[in-house]
Amino acid sequence: MSAIQKNVEASSEKYSTSFTKGDLALPPAKKYLVLTCMDARIDPAAAFGIELGDAHVIRNAGASAVDALRSIVISEQLLGTTEIVLVKHTGCGMLTFKNEDAYAAVEKSLGAEAVQELHAKHLDFLPFPQLEKAVEDDVEFLKASKLVPDSFAISGWVYEVETGKTRRVV
């Protein structure tokens, strides 16, 4: 067992000894979801004031609305959320490359067959060159989607990893 796995096991044991929230309802109590990046420097609960059971938190590389759409639809249609808070962040890795760069890295590391699989699955890594524009584009994507009700409140934000502050873009 790796050191990480041992830590998961020990932390789970410690956490479970004082856990008292097992009766929370499945749908989020405050009926919203946060879509943010998977970046390890972001603690959504602390940064955005989310208590256990309040909201769904969807994380992926770059806080991509396109990539998160399946989870968004499940959250809204099956679990009753009515608002989306999209939060990208400064210093995001998605600002640092283009699809061609990611494909080249995969080929170098995993070989040509892996790249063929990426192409066969039409995988777009969804990088973006401008942070605020990416927030605006993803909010517009969600508002234009027939899979997100017009009645939804949708906002777009930027979290500053340097300061811990979050500022609204749209």
Side-chain angles (χ1 to χ4, degrees):
M1 186 180 305
S2 74
I4 299 296
Q5 294 169 15
K6 288 177 184 174
N7 182 60
V8 169
E9 192 171 65
S11 296
S12 174
E13 184 61 34
K14 180 180 176 185
Y15 180 73
S16 67
T17 61
S18 62
F19 183 73
T20 60
K21 305 272 183 161
D23 60 344
L24 289 174
L26 176 60
K30 294 189 177 178
K31 299 189 180 310
Y32 74 103
L33 71 87
V34 173
L35 169 58
T36 195
C37 187
M38 65 185 198
D39 191 294
R41 297 170 293 175
I42 303 169
D43 180 350
F48 314 137
I50 304 168
E51 296 294 326
L52 193 62
D54 280 355
H56 287 148
V57 178
I58 301 168
R59 297 182 76 159
N60 64 38
S64 168
V66 172
D67 197 27
L69 193 56
R70 178 184 68 91
S71 296
I72 291 168
V73 170
I74 290 168
S75 179
E76 72 181 44
Q77 294 299 311
L78 301 177
L79 296 165
T81 56
T82 59
E83 183 167 351
I84 299 171
V85 176
L86 181 135
V87 187
K88 294 185 185 285
H89 68 93
T90 57
C92 185
M94 303 305 284
L95 291 160
T96 67
F97 68 91
K98 296 179 179 166
N99 269 327
E100 300 79 33
D101 303 321
Y103 275 87
V106 169
E107 184 168 17
K108 182 178 179 183
S109 178
L110 300 175
E113 287 183 14
V115 172
Q116 290 171 352
E117 184 175 335
L118 291 175
H119 284 297
K121 294 182 182 203
H122 307 287
L123 185 66
D124 182 345
F125 287 96
L126 305 170
F128 47 85
Q130 296 176 321
L131 182 58
E132 284 80 5
K133 176 91 167 75
V135 172
E136 292 167 358
D137 289 349
D138 271 5
V139 168
E140 185 55 40
F141 168 80
L142 291 169
K143 287 182 176 183
S145 176
K146 297 296 180 203
L147 297 171
V148 179
D150 292 339
S151 61
F152 264 43
I154 304 171
S155 58
W157 305 74
V158 169
Y159 172 77
E160 298 173 353
V161 297
E162 304 84 1
T163 66
K165 293 180 182 178
T166 306
R167 59 183 162 81
R168 188 168 184 160
V169 176
V170 291

